[in-house]
Amino acid sequence: MKRTRQLHLWIGLICSVFILIQSITGLLLSEKWLTGSGGAEMRPPGAMTQGMTNGNSTGAAPSNQSSNSMTPSTAGDQGTSGATQRDRPAFNGPGPGPGQDGANSLTGFIKGLHEEKIGNTNVKWLVDIAAISMIFLTITGIILSIKTLRAQGISRKKRRTLEA
């Protein structure tokens, strides 16, 4: 039992560092204003930017642009939601199986969570609260693990001095 607790403590401590990094970077990517780039990328998907659309740097209006094409600066922000990147379709992963519309499948649900939506409901605030909670829980877990390791070190020293 003691060995299992030690294993749990060390694995948890090591993994918590990665969970902390993942939570912080996810929150930073979700909330652009935290990095100081708040208003620069706040435009609707597919919005035209002056001078740079689909690799056209001359400022001329593109001809016969489909509704799925996007500017290079927004193509990366849109992930895999049916976008095209430089006149080729973005990778969307495997499509829905027979009888599935994609939105009701597990893949559609997971994809929606990463786009901060459940169905058609915007849950950005819920995702942010979850990220902040994970950051808090991870930091306090690391602090408690360090305290436990210190206490174990002190008790080992006491045992050694009593045995000697």
Side-chain angles (χ1 to χ4, degrees), residues 1 9 13 15 18 22 29 56 67 73 92 95 97 99 112 118 120-121 130 132 152:
M1 186 64 134
L9 176 72
L13 189 57
C15 289
F18 295 108
Q22 186 78 14
L29 288 173
N56 181 3
S67 62
S73 63
N92 289 325
I118 296 178
N120 290 329
T121 307
I132 292 168
Q152 288 176 355

Side-chain angles (χ1 to χ4, degrees), residues 13-139:
L13 189 57
I14 292 167
C15 289
S16 63
V17 172
F18 295 108
I19 293 170
L20 182 63
I21 292 168
Q22 186 78 14
S23 300
I24 291 172
T25 56
L27 186 62
L28 290 174
L29 288 173
S30 174
E31 296 295 336
K32 304 255 188 233
W33 62 271
L34 289 172
T35 59
S37 63
E41 293 292 324
M42 300 299 247
R43 58 182 174 267
M48 305 300 274
T49 58
Q50 185 175 0
M52 194 71 173
T53 55
N54 285 344
N56 181 3
S57 61
T58 62
S63 60
N64 294 334
Q65 188 171 15
S66 69
S67 62
N68 283 342
S69 62
M70 307 178 79
T71 63
S73 63
T74 59
D77 295 340
Q78 294 302 311
T80 60
S81 59
T84 59
Q85 295 176 341
R86 296 187 183 175
D87 299 329
R88 65 179 190 265
F91 176 71
N92 289 325
Q100 292 180 335
D101 63 356
N104 293 331
S105 68
L106 179 61
T107 305
F109 178 74
I110 292 170
K111 190 174 180 182
L113 282 179
H114 283 269
E115 293 172 354
E116 299 172 339
K117 292 184 241 170
I118 296 178
N120 290 329
T121 307
N122 185 352
V123 291
K124 184 177 181 66
W125 59 272
L126 186 62
V127 174
D128 290 346
I129 289 173
I132 292 168
S133 300
M134 287 302 296
I135 292 167
F136 176 76
L137 289 172
T138 306
I139 289 173

Side-chain angles (χ1 to χ4, degrees), residues 141-152:
I142 290 171
I143 291 169
L144 291 173
S145 296
I146 291 171
K147 285 183 178 182
T148 302
L149 289 171
R150 280 187 186 157
Q152 288 176 355

Side-chain angles (χ1 to χ4, degrees), residues 151-164:
Q152 288 176 355
I154 291 171
S155 82
R156 273 193 217 117
K157 284 182 183 178
K158 283 183 182 179
R159 248 186 281 136
R160 288 182 188 154
T161 54
L162 291 175
E163 290 174 357

